[in-house]
């Protein structure tokens, strides 16, 4: 089986400081990979390198494109990469405001990706927008409201709808539940798990919340100071951490 | 170099005019592409047509006939002051008749009378970037133009329909030029959009934003729309009260304190010509020279 995403020795430096270095892994279709680590451990840098938002200083990122099979997204042309960014890839930001157009209605936000790939029929675009709002549990009568009128949890769900409307195969998520209260978080996770399973999505989830990866991720990668210190199946890493830092991380989770 | 009193011909020095002409030529070569140029400080405030004036200055020759219109009218402040400016600094002939002019500077309208191949239409543009209100970053909009990523333009039209039931954008209606660049046609009413496929050269100057763009004659200009909400070049559903025209763009004028209104051609020259030919509307009087 060809991996959907193949990462080889990715490194990114900020001057003399290390963003992330020597990261390699394969992600197979339908697999969800979690990246955990403390603040400043390079997980967001890594995610941005993979998603093409940052240019890595070394390494390759091969993506299994629909036309040409495995292709290095670091060296591919910018139009191609941006095309991937609005068709096969999706990026869910930590702050919904970064991923939404706050001045545009919910329907317009969801429809933007459709229009970006050439949809020119208002009725169809709107029907799809309503359908997707329904899937993320936003009622139809909010379709013409702006995201600024939505609660934080709704904004995050809207962002997810907006990203998934074109049927991407790979979703990058940067702390998707950050800043949400626990009950909203639980519903969002439930929703995400449902969508990921139902659509057969592959996903890379960056988070510092171990409960999130426990629920969503098949595999886990633990990062510290820009390096990957441990990888493995999620339950294995969380239940039997080998590396000292992972042990610290697991034991630091507060118990209720 | 032509000297005229204290000023060089048409106010700008020759090097500046050459620089502007280069931008114009590039604009004509790449229709709809916004060419940056080193806009000069002009003796009028931004927003009064500093871009259009610079383009006109670069185009004018001593034997040109110059016409300026503002919202279709020849006798409004903006039109009068720009016309006077070039009368004084370039000593060119001026006219109010569309067919007599070789260079026409306009703000917010295209003349009703079809233009010919030996005419140049110069537009004043406040904000040349059609994507600006959706994407504030210049770096990003330039990239979007370069990569032809124009989905966002339709988001604006989508928003219009979602909010108003139809495409409510009625001026500065975005167009696609020759299937490539999306362009802001300057704040002309969308009624004028279909006229942009014309015989004359069209030049667009934005002074504050320092951009020039252009349409060569007979360039394909398509107004953006949705399949189920096609482009509609609408106008007020009335006849001109002075000349009775039914095919022109109309201004709505409130004439008394009771809200009585009349609709008149916004193109004053066209209206006067029609009245001279004997057309009379419901509130019009037969044409006389001083009644115009």
């Amino acid at each position: 089986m060809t991996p959907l995403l193949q990462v080889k020795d990715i490194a990114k430096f900020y001057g003399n400081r290390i963003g992330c270095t020597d990261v390699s892994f394969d992600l197979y279709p339908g697999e969800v990979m979690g990246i955990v680590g403390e603040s400043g451990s390079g997980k967001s840098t890594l995610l941005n390198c993979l998603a093409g938002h940052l240019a890595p200083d070394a390494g390759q990122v091969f993506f299994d494109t629909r036309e040409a099979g495995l292709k290095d997204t670091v060296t591919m042309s910018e139009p191609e990469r941006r095309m991937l960014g609005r068709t096969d890839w999706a990026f869910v930001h930590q702050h919904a405001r970064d991923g939404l157009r706050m001045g545009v209605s919910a329907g317009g936000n969801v429809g933007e990706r459709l229009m970006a790939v050439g949809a020119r029929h208002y009725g169809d675009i709107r029907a799809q927008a309503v359908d997707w709002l329904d899937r993320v549990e936003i009622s139809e009568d909010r379709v013409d409201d702006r995201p600024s009128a939505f609660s934080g949890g709704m904004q995050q769900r809207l962002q997810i709808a907006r990203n998934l409307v074109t049927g991407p195969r790979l979703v990058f998520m940067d702390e998707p539940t950050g800043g949400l209260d626990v009950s909203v978080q639980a519903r969002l996770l439930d929703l995400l798990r449902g969508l990921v399973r139902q659509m057969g999505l592959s996903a890379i989830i960056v988070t510092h919340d171990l409960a999130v990866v426990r629920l969503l991720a098949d595999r886990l990668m633990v990062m510290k100071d820009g390096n990957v210190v441990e990888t493995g199946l999620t339950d294995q890493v969380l239940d039997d951490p080998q590396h000292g830092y992972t042990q610290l991380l697991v034991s630091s989770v507060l118990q209720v | 170099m032509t000297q005229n009193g204290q000023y060089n011909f048409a106010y700008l020095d020759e090097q500046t005019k050459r620089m502007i002409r280069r931008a114009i030529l590039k604009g004509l070569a790449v229709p709809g592409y916004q060419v940056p140029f080193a806009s000069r400080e002009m003796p009028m405030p931004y927003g009064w047509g500093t871009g259009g004036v610079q383009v006109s200055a670069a185009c004018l020759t001593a034997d040109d006939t110059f016409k300026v219109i503002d919202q279709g009218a020849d006798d409004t402040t903006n039109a009068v002051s720009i016309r006077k400016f070039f009368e004084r600094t370039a000593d060119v002939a001026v006219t109010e008749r569309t067919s007599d002019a070789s260079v026409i500077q306009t703000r917010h309208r295209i003349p009703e009378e079809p233009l010919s191949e030996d005419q140049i239409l110069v537009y004043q543009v406040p904000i040349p970037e059609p994507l600006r209100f959706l994407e504030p970053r210049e770096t990003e909009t330039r990239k979007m133009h370069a990569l032809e990523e124009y989905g966002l333009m339709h988001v604006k039209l989508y928003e219009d329909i979602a909010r108003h039931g139809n495409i409510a954008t009625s001026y500065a209606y975005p167009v696609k030029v020759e299937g490539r660049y999306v362009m802001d046609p300057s704040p002309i009413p969308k009624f004028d959009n279909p006229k942009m496929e014309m015989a004359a050269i069209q030049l667009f100057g934005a002074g504050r934003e320092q951009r020039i763009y252009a349409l060569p004659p007979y360039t394909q200009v398509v107004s953006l729309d949705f399949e189920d909400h096609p482009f509609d070049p609408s106008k007020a559903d009335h006849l001109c009260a002075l000349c009775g025209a039914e095919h022109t763009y109309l201004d709505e004028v409130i004439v008394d304190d009771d809200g009585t209104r009349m609709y008149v051609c916004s193109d004053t020259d066209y209206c006067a010509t029609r009245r001279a030919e004997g057309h009379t509307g419901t509130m019009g009087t037969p044409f006389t020279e001083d009644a115009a």
Side-chain angles (χ1 to χ4, degrees):
Chain A
M1 191 153 112
T2 34
L4 185 68
L5 191 76
Q6 201 168 29
V7 180
K8 286 184 181 167
D9 304 321
I10 281 292
K12 172 77 187 169
F13 299 95
Y14 299 109
N16 289 326
R17 280 174 292 125
I18 297 172
C20 62
T21 182
D22 289 332
V23 182
S24 304
F25 65 89
D26 288 351
L27 184 77
Y28 287 90
E31 200 178 21
V32 179
M33 167 101 152
I35 303 175
V36 295
E38 60 193 4
S39 297
S41 61
K43 19 185 227 311
S44 293
T45 300
L46 174 62
L47 194 74
N48 283 319
C49 285
L50 300 181
H53 298 173
L54 279 177
D57 293 317
Q60 288 113 34
V61 181
F62 292 98
F63 178 75
D64 185 18
T65 57
R66 287 175 205 243
E67 305 80 31
L70 282 181
K71 206 164 175 193
D72 187 1
T73 61
V74 177
T75 52
M76 79 169 36
S77 69
E78 190 172 13
E80 258 184 300
R81 193 163 50 234
R82 285 173 70 111
M83 190 65 187
L84 276 181
R86 53 180 195 269
T87 53
D88 273 351
W89 289 357
F91 198 103
V92 178
H93 293 264
Q94 174 177 7
H95 302 291
R97 306 182 157 259
D98 297 338
L100 292 172
R101 286 192 193 279
M102 298 307 282
V104 169
S105 70
N109 265 295
V110 178
E112 182 181 344
R113 271 171 81 107
L114 294 170
M115 291 181 250
V117 295
R120 292 291 179 265
H121 191 284
Y122 174 80
D124 292 351
I125 294 168
R126 194 173 171 81
Q128 282 209 53
V130 169
D131 175 46
W132 266 99
L133 289 182
D134 181 52
R135 286 206 223 178
V136 296
E137 298 164 17
I138 297 175
S139 70
E140 186 179 341
D141 56 11
R142 303 299 301 270
V143 65
D144 291 332
D145 290 350
R146 294 185 179 190
S148 45
F150 285 7
S151 69
M154 279 172 85
Q155 288 182 1
Q156 199 55 282
R157 293 202 300 271
L158 177 62
Q159 195 195 176
I160 288 164
R162 166 186 158 91
N163 271 290
L164 297 188
V165 67
T166 47
R169 292 187 293 157
L170 176 58
V171 187
F172 301 99
M173 295 191 220
D174 191 1
E175 310 263 12
T177 58
L180 300 177
D181 65 63
V182 282
S183 58
V184 175
Q185 223 180 73
R187 273 178 60 202
L188 186 75
L189 285 174
D190 201 38
L191 175 79
L192 270 178
R193 192 162 57 164
L195 288 172
V196 165
R197 295 285 175 263
Q198 193 186 325
M199 298 175 71
L201 292 175
S202 303
I204 297 178
I205 301 177
V206 160
T207 181
H208 55 245
D209 188 342
L210 294 181
V212 171
V213 287
R214 173 79 90 174
L215 255 157
L216 285 176
D218 304 313
R219 275 200 299 149
L220 199 56
M221 209 159 84
V222 184
M223 291 188 73
K224 176 156 175 50
D225 299 332
N227 292 288
V228 176
V229 295
E230 190 166 353
T231 55
L233 297 176
T234 305
D235 292 344
Q236 178 196 331
V237 174
L238 291 184
D239 293 340
D240 182 18
Q242 300 296 312
H243 190 274
Y245 174 70
T246 318
Q247 291 168 354
L248 177 73
L249 203 64
V250 172
S251 60
S252 304
V253 175
L254 296 176
Q255 301 295 327
V256 181
Chain B
M1 193 183 279
T2 327
Q3 290 291 329
N4 173 26
Q6 294 126 300
Y7 294 115
N8 187 33
F9 178 76
Y11 186 75
L12 292 173
D13 62 274
E14 294 302 311
Q15 283 302 322
T16 301
K17 285 194 277 185
R18 177 179 289 192
M19 174 271 293
I20 294 172
R21 285 177 198 135
R22 266 204 291 262
I24 291 173
L25 287 175
K26 181 169 178 182
L28 284 166
V30 193
Y33 172 70
Q34 298 166 42
V35 186
F37 79 110
S39 178
R40 296 290 192 256
E41 198 73 17
M42 297 302 283
M44 60 179 69
Y46 287 126
W48 283 44
T50 51
V53 162
Q54 289 178 76
V55 171
S56 294
C59 289
L60 280 175
T61 60
D63 39 328
D64 267 321
T65 308
F66 191 56
K67 170 183 161 85
V68 190
I69 48 179
D70 171 9
Q71 309 268 13
D74 288 276
D75 49 6
T76 46
T77 318
N78 197 266
V80 170
S81 59
I82 293 175
R83 191 163 58 229
K84 274 209 178 128
F85 176 74
F86 281 115
E87 262 186 298
R88 183 184 289 182
T89 59
D91 197 25
V92 289
V94 294
T95 180
E96 295 195 359
R97 297 190 60 88
T98 303
S99 51
D100 294 345
S102 55
V103 177
I104 303 172
Q105 180 169 336
T106 179
R107 171 173 177 263
H108 296 196
R109 271 317 303 279
I110 294 175
E112 300 289 354
E113 194 178 319
L115 301 182
S116 62
E117 287 180 3
D118 49 7
Q119 290 180 307
I120 298 176
L121 185 59
V122 177
Y123 295 79
Q124 304 171 194
V125 184
I127 295 184
E129 179 51 71
L131 301 162
R132 178 60 69 238
F133 291 106
L134 294 150
E135 178 51 70
R137 288 167 296 178
E138 174 71 13
T139 47
E140 188 63 19
T141 52
R142 281 211 211 184
K143 203 168 266 182
M144 289 159 86
H145 281 294
L147 303 179
E148 241 182 301
E149 288 179 3
Y150 289 133
L152 199 54
M153 208 66 251
H154 274 87
V155 173
K156 178 175 154 50
L157 302 180
Y158 172 96
E159 284 295 287
D160 265 5
I161 303 174
R163 206 161 295 163
H164 306 287
N166 55 49
I167 299 178
T169 304
S170 55
Y171 65 95
Y173 192 101
V175 294
K176 195 164 203 177
V177 178
E178 282 292 329
R180 180 59 181 84
Y181 283 100
V182 165
M183 186 187 94
D184 179 357
S186 88
I188 59 171
K190 65 179 172 182
F191 175 79
D192 282 344
N193 272 18
K195 292 190 212 158
M196 296 186 88
E197 289 186 11
M198 62 160 74
I201 292 176
Q202 297 168 77
L203 305 175
F204 299 78
R208 179 184 47 206
E209 304 289 322
Q210 315 203 321
R211 293 289 184 277
I212 284 173
Y213 49 106
L215 294 174
Y218 308 112
T219 305
Q220 184 200 48
V221 180
V222 179
S223 303
L224 300 178
D225 59 2
F226 285 105
E227 286 157 16
D228 47 347
H229 285 269
F231 172 70
D232 170 30
S234 61
K235 65 176 243 340
D237 190 17
H238 291 272
L239 303 180
C240 172
L242 296 180
C243 76
E246 56 184 10
H247 55 280
T248 56
Y249 190 75
L250 302 174
D251 284 340
E252 183 182 1
V253 185
I254 295 176
V255 289
D256 61 23
D257 289 346
D258 304 324
T260 313
R261 52 201 65 195
M262 68 189 288
Y263 291 87
V264 290
C265 292
S266 90
D267 188 336
T268 51
D269 168 58
Y270 189 75
C271 198
T273 311
R274 271 178 62 85
R275 280 186 292 143
E277 286 166 0
H279 300 277
T280 313
T282 49
M283 295 164 86
T285 48
F287 183 79
T288 50
E289 268 305 319
D290 48 275

